[in-house]
Amino acid sequence: MNVLRIMALWVSTAARATPLLTVVMMITTVCSAVLSPLSVYGVKMTVDAVAQHHSVWPGIAFGGGALLVSALAGSVAGPIGDTVDERVARYVHNDLIRLTAEVPSIAHHEHPAMADRLSLVERDAWELGGIWRLLSTLGAVSGTVTVIGMLWSVSPAMIGLLAAALVPSAIYALGLHKRNALWRTSERFRRLGSKINDALLEPRQGVEVRCFGLSPALLGVADEALQTRNRPVLATTRRFSIYTALGWVFFGAVYSAAVVWVFHRVRLGENTLGDLSLLLLIGPQVSTTASAISSNIGEIMSSVQVFGRYQWLRDYAAAHDWADSVAMPPDRLVEGIRFDHVDFTYPSLDADFEEPSHTEFTAPTEPGRQSLTDINLHLPAGRTVAFVGENGAGKSTLVKLLARLYDPTAGAVLVDGVPMTALDPAAWRERMSAGFQDFASLEFLAIDSVGVGDVTERDELRVTQAVTAGQADPVVADLPAGLQTQLGATFEGGVGLSGGQWQRLALARAFMRRRPLLMLLDEPTAALDPEAEQAIYEQYGAVARELAHTTGAVTVLVSHRFSTVRMADLIIVVADGRITEQGSHAELLRAGGRYAELFEMQARAYR
Ligand SMILES: Nc1ncnc2c1ncn2[C@@H]1O[C@H](COP(=O)(O)OP(=O)(O)O)[C@@H](O)[C@H]1O
Ligand SMILES: [Mg+2]
């Protein structure tokens, strides 16, 4: 059942990627496969004609014609096959990136078994060429029918030759299958190896790699990972090539016996001389046909697996497109955003996380740790709310839930009373602006690097306003061609920026949205000095007050600097995935809890 669905996907993919070429490909492949063995039959006709003193021309015409047409069809099929391959692979590859990047949650990036699958599908897409294999199978099948017919014409017993040739071919195909299975189960070693190699080549990590002298150690780990992956595969290859060779020795013996037997029958007059020459000529055809059959079976099996994973990704994307979430966010917030008994566990830690079906991989799942427990919160409309707490307390996780990068494991986040899970994720994100600590350094033209903050409004005026609001004017002023400068030192004529400069551009990006309901600032100023942070938050305060009037927007900020935090209307103290204190700066100081303690500590340090 599953296999049928996968086959259907296979054919429909090729038909969508390149319909006309697929048909041409099918015809030429079959022609070439059927006619090539038939040319041998022409030789037999000719030899018999000589022996019986008939005209040799029909035999020559038949053999020559078959050879010519088959060669023509074959030489057309090759390049067309390559084109079909390339188109199908490109189509699947783009579809894959699209499916992966457009799933609205990021959960699938963070589960080991999922990551293995994604990396496998992505890599296999380029070697997919699925339809080419399906068609060459058609060719192999029709070629086999022709070969059987001709062997039969010598003697029905000769079919045994094909059976004998299938022995080594089947062994070979089994070996291929074993190797594929090994590749699949060791995908995580490949991911590890290539992650490390990427890290060694990535300019971002370049400084640390050199300062800590990491290169030899990391290369060693990467090499070991790849070897762990390769060793069993190489051993299997060696073992099976010996078995295959023995199989061919067996076929050779059977074939020799058949030739001797037919020679004997020619002398008895039970076979013609033409039969004998047909048998002599067809030997190589029989073995290629047998190899074609078994390697096709092997390749089809692995293509079915590749397409199976592709199908899995399509199913996953379809099941997680949050298509039921269609409600539009309100035009303006009245009540605000509430967390109602929210628990959250990251997918990589969640033992119950929905695993891909027909699991090929066993992900090592340890009993997970909840990152948020029973969160109850009210973020009032029009107010600025600060999350404070130690590293790993759960602040960023709260922010990610507000951006709906994940759904809560239990409980609900409510936007003016409407569960966030009911809101169209794209529409919600359009009404949200965000600056993160691990912001993206988008190496585009400066105008685009900022302008993508709102792809519907990439005009120079709007971007300039956002740059000013994000206090990135000095950065842009330093660029040789202003907003039209290419960013990123690795590009021709590109300009490299410091961490702080990138961060200012990321902040400007966050100011692109005109009417946000929610502004998220998760330590977006960590790379800046305290004066710069102060200036930026004053700017933010002005924007937030303005938005409070127009859209009732909630501003959420995460910072370790109390000078920033104390500006917030409401301060939430997070510890170990729970809310421990909340109130205004003055209230929390009066309460004399953890907040007061930390504030005192930082204030003393600055005195
Ligand atoms: N992608 C992730 N996968 C698994 N665990 C995570 C992930 N991100 C964060 N965590 C864990 O969740 C907890 C809260 O992290 P986070 O919200 O980032 O803390 P912070 O308060 O420093 O922003 C930490 O224990 C952290 O290890
Ligand atoms: Mg954080």
Side-chain angles (χ1 to χ4, degrees):
M1 214 46 238
N2 228 347
V3 174
L4 283 184
R5 250 180 91 215
I6 288 165
M7 288 287 195
L9 173 65
W10 196 343
V11 173
S12 66
T13 305
R16 249 174 296 156
T18 172
L20 185 66
L21 281 186
T22 304
V23 174
V24 176
M25 179 72 222
M26 217 177 290
I27 296 170
T28 49
T29 310
V30 172
C31 264
S32 136
V34 173
L35 293 179
S36 154
L38 267 187
S39 64
V40 174
Y41 198 78
V43 176
K44 169 202 146 69
M45 284 166 68
T46 314
V47 171
D48 283 345
V50 170
Q52 292 158 21
H53 307 288
H54 291 155
S55 164
V56 294
W57 292 113
I60 290 175
F62 184 83
L67 202 61
L68 187 70
V69 177
S70 131
L72 277 180
S75 62
V76 173
I80 294 186
D82 287 347
T83 314
V84 172
D85 257 10
E86 197 270 340
R87 292 204 187 158
V88 171
R90 192 152 42 84
Y91 179 89
V92 174
H93 190 258
N94 292 343
D95 201 30
L96 207 74
I97 305 274
R98 189 182 62 75
L99 288 171
T100 314
E102 287 181 6
V103 173
S105 160
I106 57 172
H108 56 296
H109 287 302
E110 297 191 332
H111 193 270
M114 300 274 214
D116 276 349
R117 272 166 172 262
L118 284 177
S119 105
L120 268 175
V121 194
E122 188 182 355
R123 199 166 44 90
D124 288 348
W126 287 116
E127 50 188 69
L128 207 59
I131 200 66
W132 169 231
R133 284 177 203 167
L134 185 66
L135 294 175
S136 63
T137 308
L138 274 183
V141 169
S142 41
T144 309
V145 172
T146 322
V147 166
I148 288 179
M150 287 191 297
L151 287 174
W152 190 281
S153 77
V154 176
S155 155
M158 290 296 120
I159 308 295
L161 270 186
L162 189 58
L166 277 175
V167 172
S169 308
I171 296 175
Y172 178 76
L174 185 67
L176 269 186
H177 177 68
K178 283 235 148 101
R179 276 173 41 160
N180 280 341
L182 284 173
W183 285 134
R184 261 179 291 119
T185 46
S186 58
E187 180 62 15
R188 77 188 80 128
F189 295 112
R190 196 193 65 83
R191 271 203 296 132
L192 175 65
S194 62
K195 267 237 163 102
I196 291 178
N197 289 340
D198 285 353
L200 288 176
L201 298 177
E202 206 16 68
R204 244 182 123 110
Q205 271 95 262
V207 173
E208 284 190 54
V209 164
R210 280 162 187 76
C211 288
F212 297 128
L214 292 179
S215 161
L218 285 182
L219 262 180
V221 176
D223 191 57
E224 180 56 33
L226 293 179
Q227 280 212 43
T228 309
R229 178 171 157 81
N230 292 344
R231 240 178 261 126
V233 175
L234 290 178
T236 309
T237 309
R238 269 196 302 273
R239 196 147 30 93
F240 273 88
S241 54
I242 294 173
Y243 298 159
T244 310
L246 290 177
W248 283 119
V249 170
F250 167 72
F251 170 71
V254 174
Y255 183 55
S256 312
V259 170
V260 170
W261 185 64
V262 171
F263 181 68
H264 182 66
R265 278 168 58 96
V266 171
R267 290 180 104 182
L268 295 178
E270 285 166 0
N271 272 113
T272 64
L273 212 49
D275 287 339
L276 183 61
S277 44
L278 186 144
L279 186 61
L280 287 171
L281 286 171
I282 210 169
Q285 297 270 10
V286 172
S287 61
T288 28
T289 304
S291 313
I293 294 174
S294 51
S295 75
N296 269 291
I297 292 176
E299 291 195 339
I300 285 195
M301 285 188 328
S302 69
S303 287
V304 163
Q305 275 163 347
V306 173
F307 267 92
R309 277 182 227 119
Y310 179 35
Q311 179 69 53
W312 161 81
L313 180 63
R314 289 165 59 97
D315 290 347
Y316 180 85
H320 294 79
D321 63 356
W322 289 344
D324 299 340
S325 309
V326 289
M328 283 294 128
D331 185 55
R332 49 171 298 149
L333 283 182
V334 180
E335 192 214 326
I337 302 175
R338 273 183 194 282
F339 281 71
D340 182 22
H341 295 290
V342 167
D343 288 347
F344 181 72
T345 306
Y346 277 97
S348 55
L349 304 174
D350 189 353
D352 297 331
F353 187 72
E354 188 187 333
E355 274 254 355
S357 58
H358 50 91
T359 318
E360 283 169 5
F361 312 95
T362 40
T365 35
E366 297 141 28
R369 212 167 56 84
Q370 229 169 258
S371 293
L372 294 176
T373 310
D374 197 31
I375 303 289
N376 292 291
L377 261 185
H378 180 207
L379 315 179
R383 297 294 159 82
T384 301
V385 181
F387 292 152
V388 291
E390 274 148 37
N391 286 328
K395 306 178 296 291
S396 296
T397 309
L398 285 168
V399 168
K400 286 188 227 169
L401 291 183
L402 285 168
R404 203 182 173 194
L405 292 172
Y406 304 95
D407 282 337
T409 335
V413 180
L414 305 161
V415 179
D416 261 5
V418 178
M420 195 183 277
T421 49
L423 296 179
D424 175 28
W428 175 243
R429 285 174 197 158
E430 256 165 44
R431 298 299 303 279
M432 186 187 97
S433 79
F436 293 107
Q437 181 179 16
D438 44 357
F439 53 89
S441 308
L442 301 176
E443 300 189 334
F444 305 156
L445 290 182
I447 186 171
D448 292 322
S449 195
V450 175
V452 293
D454 188 347
V455 278
T456 57
E457 286 207 52
R458 176 209 181 260
D459 61 84
E460 187 121 11
L461 179 66
R462 182 86 194 101
V463 171
T464 308
Q465 286 170 352
V467 165
T468 305
Q471 311 245 321
D473 282 325
V475 181
V476 175
D478 269 356
L479 296 174
L483 282 175
Q484 300 300 332
T485 309
Q486 169 68 48
L487 303 178
T490 53
F491 288 104
E492 196 76 43
V495 175
L497 298 181
S498 74
Q501 289 174 316
W502 275 120
Q503 192 144 44
R504 282 171 190 264
L505 290 185
L507 271 168
R509 187 152 65 226
F511 277 101
M512 280 298 290
R513 289 276 150 90
R514 258 187 219 283
R515 302 188 70 244
L517 296 172
L518 176 65
M519 294 211 291
L520 295 173
L521 301 161
D522 188 356
E523 304 189 46
T525 49
L528 305 179
D529 51 65
E531 287 84 15
E533 170 163 331
Q534 188 76 33
I536 280 170
Y537 277 104
E538 270 158 25
Q539 173 79 34
Y540 254 117
V543 174
R545 274 188 295 281
E546 202 184 303
L547 282 174
H549 285 297
T550 54
T551 66
V554 173
T555 302
V556 170
L557 61 91
V558 180
S559 173
H560 284 290
R561 296 194 178 115
F562 284 82
S563 50
T564 303
V565 170
R566 64 185 296 175
M567 297 193 298
D569 303 310
L570 174 65
I571 296 164
I572 315 263
V573 183
V574 189
D576 209 11
R578 291 168 195 273
I579 310 265
T580 51
E581 292 164 57
Q582 55 175 304
S584 68
H585 179 71
E587 284 166 0
L588 289 177
L589 281 191
R590 236 177 291 130
R594 182 77 181 137
Y595 179 83
E597 202 179 306
L598 288 172
F599 176 77
E600 267 311 308
M601 240 158 68
Q602 208 172 76
R604 229 178 294 129
Y606 274 102
R607 254 176 232 141

